[in-house]
Amino acid sequence: MSDKLAGRTILITGAASGMGRDIARLFASEGAALALLDRNEAGVRAVAGDLGAAGYGCDVTDRTALGEIVTAAAETLGGLDGVVNAAGILDIAPFADLTAESWDRMLSVNTTGPFNVVKAALPFLSAAEAATIVNIASVSALMPMAGTTGYSASKAALTMFTKCLAFDLGPKIRANSICPGVIRTEMTRYLWENAEHTARAAERVALKRLGETEDVARAALFLSCADSAFTTGTEIPVDGGFSWR
Ligand SMILES: NC(=O)c1ccc[n+]([C@@H]2O[C@H](COP(=O)([O-])OP(=O)(O)OC[C@H]3O[C@@H](n4cnc5c(N)ncnc54)[C@H](O)[C@@H]3O)[C@@H](O)[C@H]2O)c1
């Protein structure tokens, strides 16, 4: 590894599983000091233990608890140079079947969650020399898909939130989104456990495969280090050629 994050302190949400966990692994191997957060406390503590990081159990919608934890994490790490918002949930349902509770929860976790994290982290990010915010959105932010009114709305709001953050917080803080296509994680287990569904999903994209968490982790690394020093307010699709942006 090339120590691209040496000396940097980064908070990652959703780090007990999937993309958040593999972003944490790659960032640790690149020299970052990490604070990992997830509502799955046992899971996040296990990942943190493996990486010599600090692990915190917290729901990103619990603004009060989150504020206290982000402050404690920043104090433990001696500041915060970056955050990665990977915590998220997906509920696929045709609009007629989508409940108001499900709509509220997706907006609350996927959109307001990153707002809560950035708000709590802002005093520390503002004190850093060059800080980064990376929000994991989705191709669902870029293109309509059946059964995703709630999820797509929550992720489209997240990409525009991120663009506006880039305006408001620049030049010292950069903010970008990643828009993954279908990535093999717990969230998409229902799909990739079925060979026929997997083949259909792979056939739909130019690179003819599902994505892996490492594909997303490498994009998160790019956006969290000096390699992307002149990149802000944009989104990077990591989708194998699906959304064509
Ligand atoms: N897997 C995909 O194909 C895909 C595609 C596009 C975008 N995404 C997005 O990528 C991100 C990571 O998802 P993943 O695929 O790794 O899924 P995952 O289910 O493996 O991981 C999500 C993690 O977020 C945590 N989490 C969920 N709600 C939380 C909350 N309220 N507070 C704190 N932690 C919470 C979960 O406990 C879990 O550890 C999500 O934002 C998801 O919407 C996933």
Side-chain angles (χ1 to χ4, degrees), residues 2-10 27-33 81 221 224-226:
S2 40
D3 274 349
K4 284 180 185 284
L5 298 175
R8 292 184 71 75
T9 53
I10 299 182
F27 281 23
S29 75
E30 290 286 351
D81 299 300
L221 173 61
S224 298
C225 77

Side-chain angles (χ1 to χ4, degrees), residues 87-179:
I89 54 171
L90 166 70
D91 181 16
I92 297 179
F95 181 68
D97 299 333
L98 181 72
T99 64
E101 291 71 27
S102 178
W103 167 273
D104 285 349
R105 183 70 186 156
M106 279 190 280
L107 269 290
S108 178
V109 175
N110 296 348
T111 314
T112 309
F115 166 87
N116 292 340
V117 172
V118 173
K119 264 286 178 196
L122 190 56
F124 307 102
L125 297 176
S126 300
E129 192 109 322
T132 54
I133 296 167
V134 176
N135 291 327
I136 309 296
S138 171
V139 285
S140 296
L142 308 175
M143 56 193 282
M145 274 180 277
T148 69
T149 47
Y151 185 72
S152 295
S154 73
K155 293 298 192 176
L158 181 59
T159 56
M160 188 51 78
F161 166 68
T162 309
K163 287 178 190 296
C164 296
L165 271 184
F167 253 126
D168 281 2
L169 303 184
K172 275 183 68 185
I173 303 175
R174 297 186 292 111
N176 293 286
S177 304
I178 296 173
C179 291

Side-chain angles (χ1 to χ4, degrees), residues 13-23 37-41 43-44 56-62 66 85-90 105 108-110 113-114 135-141 151 154-155 158 178-192 210-211 213 216 238:
T13 74
S17 173
M19 295 180 210
R21 182 174 55 201
D22 271 5
I23 290 169
L37 187 148
D38 201 289
R39 72 175 168 191
N40 172 356
E41 182 161 3
V44 79
Y56 302 90
C58 184
D59 190 311
V60 294
T61 66
D62 184 343
L66 183 75
N85 282 300
I89 54 171
L90 166 70
R105 183 70 186 156
S108 178
V109 175
N110 296 348
N135 291 327
I136 309 296
S138 171
V139 285
S140 296
Y151 185 72
S154 73
K155 293 298 192 176
L158 181 59
I178 296 173
C179 291
V182 181
I183 309 294
R184 204 186 299 262
T185 68
E186 284 308 308
M187 187 175 278
T188 51
R189 178 178 287 281
Y190 71 94
L191 188 150
W192 52 260
L210 303 195
T213 49
V216 177
V238 178

